Amino acid sequence: MKLLEERIVKDGVLKDGGILKVDSFLNHQMDIGLLQEIGKEFRRLFPENITRILTIEASGIGIATIAAQYFDNIPVVFAKKSMSKNLDGDLLTSKVISYTKGLEFDIFVEKKFLSPDDNILIIDDFLANGQALNGLIDLVNGSGANLVGCGIVIEKGFQDGGQIIRDKGVHLESLAIVEDPKDGKICFREQ
Ligand code: 5GP
């Protein structure tokens, strides 16, 4: 997605450890016009009958809610990263190792929000080692719902998450795939 790639080049900041900071437009401050274009692009790439979008707190939520407007305002469900007294029904859970924090944690969704009749699209901001996406796919599988595919805003092509998820036979679409940065320069995989 050209518009996104141009924005990453303009405002993205490469940090040590292969971290790409895009907090001025994607996952801290959010550019709503850009998120709308991202939502439209996900709709174009996933024209199927989708009944719910699943994402994970916190950064995925804003992206998924704007995208849902281009999928006939279907509900957005987000996996929670901590247990709380508000989670009182039957739960689906999975384990995830955080790329940015290096810690393992559980993720939760109440069973009633993912049903076997659902066609699910998973949306998230980044794909690095595939931990978050694997956890979300686990939740969908546990619910008996049909996974239509996964839409990622930025895939880091130099980490193996994309390969792992595609090898599972999952329909994965990443709007920008960043190659291994050389001399601090951001380049993208041709798609
Ligand atoms: P994974 O689980 O695929 O290893 O990492 C994906 C998760 O880690 C995303 O939900 C995202 O929040 C975070 N993440 C991974 N790499 C980056 C990065 O380079 N920049 C930012 N801002 N977040 C990242």
Side-chain angles (χ1 to χ4, degrees):
M1 183 181 167
K2 205 82 212 134
L3 185 71
L4 174 66
E5 291 183 354
E6 285 167 3
R7 191 61 180 272
I8 295 169
V9 169
K10 182 169 161 273
D11 292 329
V13 179
L14 279 170
K15 309 289 280 187
D16 290 345
I19 296 280
L20 176 62
K21 270 194 93 169
V22 287
D23 56 356
S24 64
F25 61 95
L26 189 68
N27 55 17
H28 195 5
Q29 172 171 264
M30 293 182 283
D31 179 332
I32 302 306
L34 178 66
L35 292 192
Q36 287 171 333
E37 294 309 313
I38 285 171
K40 286 180 203 166
E41 186 63 2
F42 280 140
R43 172 81 270 196
R44 191 183 70 79
L45 294 165
F46 295 100
E48 296 92 338
N49 171 34
I50 290 165
T51 57
R52 279 192 169 111
I53 293 176
L54 175 66
T55 188
I56 183 164
E57 64 179 359
S59 311
I61 298 174
I63 298 162
T65 48
I66 302 258
Q69 296 175 355
Y70 302 96
F71 289 83
D72 300 323
N73 294 326
I74 53 174
V76 172
V77 179
F78 63 90
K80 300 200 175 197
K81 290 179 175 170
S82 57
M83 187 46 104
S84 85
K85 286 185 182 148
N86 282 329
L87 283 168
D88 52 8
D90 276 349
L91 298 178
L92 297 160
T93 69
S94 185
K95 286 199 183 306
V96 168
I97 297 170
S98 158
Y99 179 76
T100 41
K101 299 194 184 83
L103 300 171
E104 185 181 80
F105 58 93
D106 294 310
I107 58 172
F108 311 88
V109 163
E110 286 205 29
K111 260 192 187 147
K112 65 184 176 199
F113 295 130
L114 293 179
S115 97
D117 299 333
D118 272 320
N119 290 319
I120 305 285
L121 173 64
I122 295 175
I123 284 182
D124 203 6
D125 59 344
F126 269 92
L127 172 58
N129 292 327
Q131 280 284 324
L133 217 45
N134 259 327
L136 292 170
I137 291 170
D138 233 27
L139 297 183
V140 175
N141 290 340
S143 74
N146 171 42
L147 177 65
V148 174
C150 301
I152 293 291
V153 181
I154 303 174
E155 176 180 334
K156 297 199 288 182
F158 52 97
Q159 292 180 240
D160 55 10
Q163 184 78 37
I164 291 168
I165 303 296
R166 290 184 179 95
D167 284 352
K168 285 176 186 260
V170 171
H171 177 195
L172 168 65
E173 295 281 358
S174 300
L175 304 188
I177 304 182
V178 177
E179 294 290 15
D180 203 357
K182 297 213 169 48
D183 309 322
K185 203 168 169 280
I186 300 173
C187 296
F188 300 95
R189 187 179 299 169
E190 293 282 340
Q191 299 198 71

